[in-house]
Amino acid sequence: MDQDELFLLMVPACLLVLALLLMACRLLLNRHGLCHLPGGQEYLPLTAMSFLCVSVALTLQTLLSNAGLADRVVLLALLHVIGALALHQAICLRFDLEPRHRLAVGIAVLTVTGSYYFGEMRGDLLSRLTVVSAGVAAILCLSVPDLLRQRDGIGLCDRLLATSYVFGAGFAVLRSCWTIVIAPGADLEDLPGSGPWKLYLALMLFFKLWLTVVVVLVAIGDLLASLRRQRDTDPLSGLLNRRGFQEQAELRLRQHPGANWHLIAVDLDHFKRINDCHGHHTGDLVIRQLSDLFARHLRPGQIAGRMGGEEFMLMIDAATLAQAVSLAEILRRAVEGATWPDQARVTASFGVEQVADAADFHVALRRVDTLLYEAKNQGRNRVSAAAAAAALAAVARAKPCTRPEAPRALPVAEAALASAR
């Protein structure tokens, strides 16, 4: 075997190794339970399948003569088309794009049919190459417009993957143009040993190597994100734990310093009594249901965390303290009026405080904790806020709340008004 043959066979062998590497990444990610991430990690075996199909096709095209290839035109067309379909589907899964299955399958059927017609019936090698190249390019380009539209809203590694795929689709288009413009003047009888074929293989290998590096970077990013999520998430409630809440809160305070952030501390009243009377399983169900209640009332960008036991903390952006107090009262009423497991009676106490900036965050945590215990000392199932009388007056002057349940007067604010009179 001379050096040229060794080089020609090295390319599909490398593609096979890359496919195995991608499958190893899939197994590693699944061991860490990452199937819930974008694409469900199914884009990895699909990408590996694409590499494998191209590897087999290039091996056959390298080892067989034109006469031998003529007997396998349908097989070669199927391998290239399946490889393109697998890569297209992988990208659609990863970026949650519409795969357009009917159009993709239609192009695949036309490509295989055209390859059979020009290869088996007409014996026209150039036309067969053109049909296959154009079909592969058309399939890969199906997801390019949608990919370009959402590329700015994704992370760095995913943006790199999207860009690499777009360049790969462009490379397939150039290959199709080559078969139409340049190939007619080339010696197609010696195509596997020709300079253009070697250049094509080298470019193909470079692109697949680059794509593999990018996919591995994306997989590593997924792994790190999952580990960070596991570190920062409370396993029972699904909310942020204390560490995760503090990191996310400080990040938002730094990124959006003028958003009028407020902290809402929440503590379930007599939670030990719920565990003692109904069992710890019911207590766990109450924690989960309360977490769902928070999720229904918070807007995107607002966060909730379980600080420990039955204590929770929310951080919301509200124009005024009165609006934050109003949301806390809505949550208090929702907790009081909800149907809980085993018909348990569940109420909660709330403290509300404004946080000025990241430097004020830890001080604000202590202030809102003090307000929470003020609400509990005054009888529980109520909201306590700094400057409660002013907050109540602002709520009373405001238009009726558009949420399902309108807030009522806050007990602590009523006491403040009574003492003022």
Side-chain angles (χ1 to χ4, degrees), residues 190-354:
D190 191 30
L191 181 61
S194 64
W197 179 252
K198 294 177 182 178
L199 177 62
Y200 166 72
L201 288 181
L203 292 175
M204 172 69 74
L205 179 59
F206 173 78
F207 169 69
K208 297 298 184 182
L209 282 170
W210 172 255
L211 188 61
T212 302
V213 170
V214 174
V215 170
V216 170
L217 287 176
V218 171
I220 292 174
D222 287 348
L223 178 60
L224 294 176
S226 177
L227 294 176
R228 191 180 301 113
R229 185 180 297 106
Q230 292 174 14
R231 182 200 67 178
D232 295 341
T233 302
D234 172 60
L236 175 60
S237 64
L239 302 177
L240 295 168
N241 56 26
R242 179 183 291 272
R243 175 177 180 169
F245 179 85
Q246 292 184 0
E247 288 184 356
Q248 290 297 317
E250 291 175 347
L251 178 64
R252 281 162 172 76
L253 287 167
R254 287 193 299 268
Q255 292 179 341
H256 309 285
N260 293 323
W261 294 103
H262 294 77
L263 294 174
I264 301 178
V266 186
D267 190 276
L268 290 173
D269 298 328
H270 302 297
F271 187 68
K272 184 177 183 302
R273 186 182 302 169
I274 296 174
N275 283 329
D276 292 342
C277 296
H278 301 278
H280 288 278
H281 176 69
T282 298
D284 291 346
L285 294 178
V286 168
I287 294 293
R288 294 194 186 101
Q289 186 171 331
L290 183 65
S291 303
D292 294 338
L293 187 148
F294 290 155
R296 291 195 301 271
H297 285 83
L298 294 185
R299 300 195 307 268
Q302 300 176 342
I303 57 174
R306 185 185 180 198
M307 309 303 279
E310 66 273 20
E311 299 179 7
F312 299 83
M313 189 72 67
L314 316 178
M315 193 173 84
I316 65 168
D317 52 325
T320 63
L321 176 64
Q323 290 187 7
V325 169
S326 177
L327 175 59
E329 178 64 14
I330 289 171
L331 291 172
R332 189 198 66 78
R333 286 176 173 268
V335 172
E336 184 181 32
T339 301
W340 297 94
D342 292 342
Q343 302 300 314
R345 184 178 184 276
V346 179
T347 61
S349 301
F350 293 77
V352 184
E353 177 62 295
Q354 187 171 10

Side-chain angles (χ1 to χ4, degrees), residues 6-18 51-52 54-60 62 201 205:
L6 184 62
F7 168 77
L8 294 175
L9 289 176
M10 182 184 69
V11 175
C14 288
L15 294 180
L16 179 60
V17 172
L18 295 178
F51 286 14
L52 183 61
V54 173
S55 171
V56 175
L58 292 181
T59 301
L60 292 176
T62 299
L201 288 181
L205 179 59

